[in-house]
Amino acid sequence: MIRDEAIENLRRELKAVEIPTEDRDVFRMNSGNPMLSLAPGLVIWTGLMRVYRWAGLDGCWQLHSASDPAGAARLIAPMYRDRMPDFDPVFQAGPL
């Protein structure tokens, strides 16, 4: 799986669980691997190992197969909501 596809698949699944991502949330490391910055302290990396990787609430690395982006999104969602407790997807989607 191409790393860019892995990030796009994860973004699609995060949207399904009401976690917004935008193009500006995707960055490239010096190695060229994409990473997704969702919230303060919540960054998801992809790499050659075909996994998503992020630091969990306990500070330990969490790994999840890039072939299961929906499963990764379900694991990431509670952490996102913990870091962004005031986020309201309906309010954020409204006109400026």
Side-chain angles (χ1 to χ4, degrees), residues 21-61:
T21 69
E22 299 178 18
D23 289 340
R24 65 185 170 93
D25 297 331
V26 179
F27 298 90
R28 296 227 174 253
M29 296 184 289
N30 289 338
S31 65
N33 293 337
M35 62 182 190
L36 180 62
S37 177
L38 292 177
L42 183 53
V43 177
I44 294 88
W45 288 268
T46 62
L48 296 176
M49 297 186 307
R50 297 191 170 129
V51 296
Y52 299 114
R53 180 176 64 155
W54 64 91
L57 292 173
D58 60 0
C60 294
W61 285 113

